[in-house]
Each structure stands twice: as structure tokens, then as C-alpha cells.
Amino acid sequence: MNQINPRKLLNSKWTAVKPVNKEKHFIITEVEFDEDGNVIYCLIEAIMSKRDRSIDWRELQNEETWRQGWK
């Protein structure tokens, strides 16, 4: 399980273990917090295609789907 500090999500880099549409490398471009400091919105962008989508940041903890950094 990837250990993630929600405060350090912004601009963090991720590699998809099983790329879809040849999109392998991603970066977190937007993170919003509620008044209690919990993540309520997270936007991830593919580096090559610049396509972005909303993601539940807890999905990034799954090592079978995501790896930290660009590998």
C-alpha cells in the first residue's frame, strides 16, 4: 500500500501499472480540501495527452494500480 500524505498530493507524480490509451505517466494538478482538511476533490492529468479526470485520491494507495513517481 502506497503511503500518501494528502497535503503533499499536489504536483505529485504517478505511474499507471496498466496503462490505458497509452497513458502511463500522470501528475496531480488540483486538490481541494474541506474545512476539516479532508480531500474532497483531486484532479489527475496524463502527461502525454493532457487529458485530465477526477480521481478518488485513496485509489492511489493501491500498488496494483499506481506507483509513486515516473517509472
Side-chain angles (χ1 to χ4, degrees):
M1 178 178 276
N2 292 321
Q3 295 295 324
I4 303 169
N5 181 344
R7 296 272 175 219
K8 295 183 179 182
L9 270 175
L10 188 61
N11 296 321
S12 62
K13 297 170 177 76
W14 295 89
T15 300
V17 173
K18 298 174 186 165
V20 176
N21 297 327
K22 298 182 182 177
E23 296 174 339
K24 183 175 181 177
H25 297 113
F26 296 83
I27 189 165
I28 303 295
T29 57
E30 200 173 319
V31 179
E32 291 182 21
F33 298 92
D34 64 8
E35 51 279 340
D36 295 327
N38 299 316
V39 176
I40 56 173
Y41 180 75
C42 185
L43 192 67
I44 192 166
E45 179 181 300
I47 297 302
M48 293 298 286
S49 66
K50 302 294 184 196
R51 187 179 353 203
D52 56 6
R53 63 183 170 102
S54 178
I55 188 172
D56 180 355
W57 73 275
R58 289 178 287 264
E59 289 179 31
L60 298 171
Q61 293 177 324
N62 184 351
E63 289 181 343
E64 294 177 7
T65 309
W66 295 101
R67 300 208 192 277
Q68 281 184 304
W70 291 341
K71 302 182 178 153

